[in-house]
Amino acid sequence: MPGTGVAGPLRCVVAGAGVLGVCLAMRLAEAGAEVTLLDRDQPGQAATRSSFAWLNSNDKAPRAYHDLNHAGVRAWERLAGSLGAAWYRPAGNLEWAATAAGRAELAGRVRRLTGWGYPAHLISAAEAGELEPSLRLPRPAPVIAWFPGEGYLLTEAMVSHLVSHAVRHGATMLTGERGRVTGLEAGAEASGGGGWSVRTAAGPVIPADVVVCCAGIQVPRLAELAGAAGPVPLVPWAEPGATAPGLVAEAGPAGSPGLTRMVHAPDVHLRPHAGGLVHLEAPGAAVDLHTPGGELRRWAGELLHRARRITGGLDDAAVTGYRVCVRPMPADGQSIAGWLPGARGVYVAVTHSGVTLGAHLAGLIAAELLSGTAAAELAPYRPGRFPAGNPHPSGR
Ligand SMILES: Cc1cc2nc3c(=O)[nH]c(=O)nc-3n(C[C@H](O)[C@H](O)[C@H](O)COP(=O)(O)OP(=O)(O)OC[C@H]3O[C@@H](n4cnc5c(N)ncnc54)[C@H](O)[C@@H]3O)c2cc1C
């Protein structure tokens, strides 16, 4: 593929500077590629900013996808260690279940994960209290699981660090209208007859040997611009009732005893956030991009109420922010990573587990681009697996 046979450094345009784009730009720049990283906004402001950012392979199937995500968790440990990163928080995760069905599912999951070599234990209420002194566990004590290998990222700090790192290694970052990709033209003059010309709304036309589309929910749109022969199908996100959007809220200040770990209770998920806040999500909050503001505010208050019931330190807290954000979710629930059929030299990467997978996927993709050798680990996730016919169902 394009990585071979190019004279001089490989010219790579990475379209989209969320977690996938910044990890990849950094890897490519470190390896000596000529990298231009583009974003129509500031880096990391789309799904990556609002993500729960839980590094896990807690409930991923089949086994190969579990292993890919587990490798993702370990890749962050290595990367953060090498960069000395304060945004990497290997805090562990506590989860409990209240209903009989929930208890059976949790115990079964812990057994399965343990058998797969993934750190997971059932623990007592006393042990949970020692691990997280701020917990107010329900009575009678629920079934509690502890996942010590999991953690989270403070994504805004991570993005900023990795962009700086990429730029120090020679990458160019263009944002706003100068970074908004509006056209992808194959074999045009600006590319010297081969490769691609990348048009932006207000920036230069950028010649590239390889274009990598890391634009989250906009990947189908970029694939369309590149003239893809098949779809990059995502779960619908724009229409009323769509399930890809989710509500997140922040609350604070968190008093003493402050939350230190990730917590998954049956009706609220929470973790510490930057600035002494907690980040909150509700598994059952049915919101979409059309939900009225008053309803979102009500949900945000409800999340804080639920969080107060199960953890101390939030009694004097208030909601400081809330918003609906969209998860880029490939239609079959697995990642999409590979060369785009019908657009030689254009690569697409989009996944729902983008924070967990970012560091690891970036390493695999960079190796594919630079060596021209396909990574066996990515074989199940190629875009060509989707049948043609309904070309770009979620592009907008
Ligand atoms: C509420 C929520 C909770 C989540 N929880 C988790 C979790 O716990 N763990 C986990 O691993 N994952 C989680 N995810 C998923 C994860 O956040 C995403 O998979 C990940 O952030 C996607 O990163 P990305 O870089 O692919 O896309 P994004 O972060 O969406 O970035 C895409 C970028 O492309 C840019 N862009 C778009 N169009 C163009 C264009 N035409 N030109 C230039 N730039 C463009 C955008 O501005 C954006 O910056 C969650 C997501 C949400 C929304």
Side-chain angles (χ1 to χ4, degrees):
M1 278 311 298
T4 56
V6 173
L10 190 71
R11 297 168 306 171
C12 301
V13 167
V14 179
V19 61
L20 291 189
V22 299
C23 286
L24 181 62
M26 185 190 78
R27 280 286 171 239
L28 290 169
E30 280 177 342
E34 192 180 300
V35 179
T36 308
L37 177 59
L38 302 174
D39 202 288
R40 64 180 185 177
D41 197 341
Q42 289 302 307
Q45 293 302 301
T48 298
R49 169 180 170 234
S50 297
S51 184
F52 197 50
W54 173 28
L55 305 178
N56 79 97
S57 189
N58 194 300
D59 201 8
K60 310 282 167 98
R63 177 68 193 267
Y65 199 51
H66 166 83
D67 289 342
L68 185 75
N69 280 271
H70 195 182
V73 176
R74 291 186 294 234
W76 281 112
E77 185 181 2
R78 285 194 301 277
L79 177 62
S82 72
L83 294 176
W87 38 260
Y88 170 68
R89 301 286 171 91
N93 171 39
L94 287 158
E95 176 177 347
W96 67 85
T99 63
R103 286 194 290 268
E105 189 282 327
L106 185 57
R109 177 153 35 101
V110 166
R111 265 196 310 278
R112 184 178 78 244
L113 290 171
T114 307
W116 287 355
Y118 187 83
H121 314 279
L122 291 180
I123 59 171
S124 67
E127 289 169 312
E130 273 171 38
L131 285 164
E132 179 55 69
S134 74
L135 274 192
R136 292 170 175 162
L137 282 169
R139 288 170 199 275
V143 167
I144 308 166
W146 166 235
F147 303 97
E150 298 177 357
Y152 63 95
L153 301 183
L154 296 175
T155 55
E156 290 190 82
M158 175 273 293
V159 165
S160 154
H161 189 168
L162 298 197
V163 169
S164 308
H165 191 83
V167 168
R168 267 201 309 282
H169 282 81
T172 301
M173 169 93 240
L174 300 176
T175 58
E177 289 299 87
R178 285 169 58 77
R180 179 162 69 88
V181 176
T182 54
L184 296 170
E185 289 158 25
E189 199 182 321
S191 310
W196 289 79
S197 292
V198 180
R199 291 193 183 277
T200 58
V205 176
I206 306 160
D209 302 308
V210 169
V211 179
V212 191
C213 302
C214 295
I217 55 173
Q218 296 298 333
V219 168
R221 173 74 189 130
L222 294 189
E224 197 175 17
L225 286 178
V232 183
L234 304 186
V235 168
W237 51 269
E239 48 265 48
T243 53
L247 178 77
V248 300
E250 288 103 20
S256 184
L259 184 72
T260 57
R261 314 231 179 237
M262 305 198 81
V263 174
H264 284 76
D267 64 357
V268 64
H269 302 164
L270 61 159
R271 63 159 169 81
H273 195 53
L277 303 177
V278 292
H279 179 110
L280 304 166
E281 280 189 9
V287 300
D288 58 41
L289 293 174
H290 308 271
T291 305
E295 179 65 2
L296 298 180
R297 202 163 41 250
R298 190 194 68 73
W299 259 115
E302 172 64 21
L303 282 185
L304 177 56
H305 171 70
R306 292 179 184 183
R308 276 194 190 120
R309 274 205 312 251
I310 60 155
T311 178
L314 294 177
D315 293 340
D316 298 324
V319 172
T320 58
Y322 59 90
R323 63 205 162 273
V324 177
C325 44
V326 181
R327 306 173 179 91
M329 299 175 89
D332 62 359
Q334 312 262 309
S335 302
I336 302 175
W339 296 108
L340 191 61
R344 187 182 161 79
V346 175
Y347 196 104
V348 288
V350 57
T351 175
H352 172 37
S353 308
V355 175
T356 298
L357 289 172
H360 185 53
L361 267 189
L364 294 173
I365 294 171
E368 288 202 328
L369 301 184
L370 295 164
S371 73
T373 305
E377 218 176 326
L378 292 180
Y381 311 112
R382 301 307 186 189
R385 71 184 183 272
F386 298 104
N390 181 18
H392 303 284
S394 295
R396 187 172 85 162

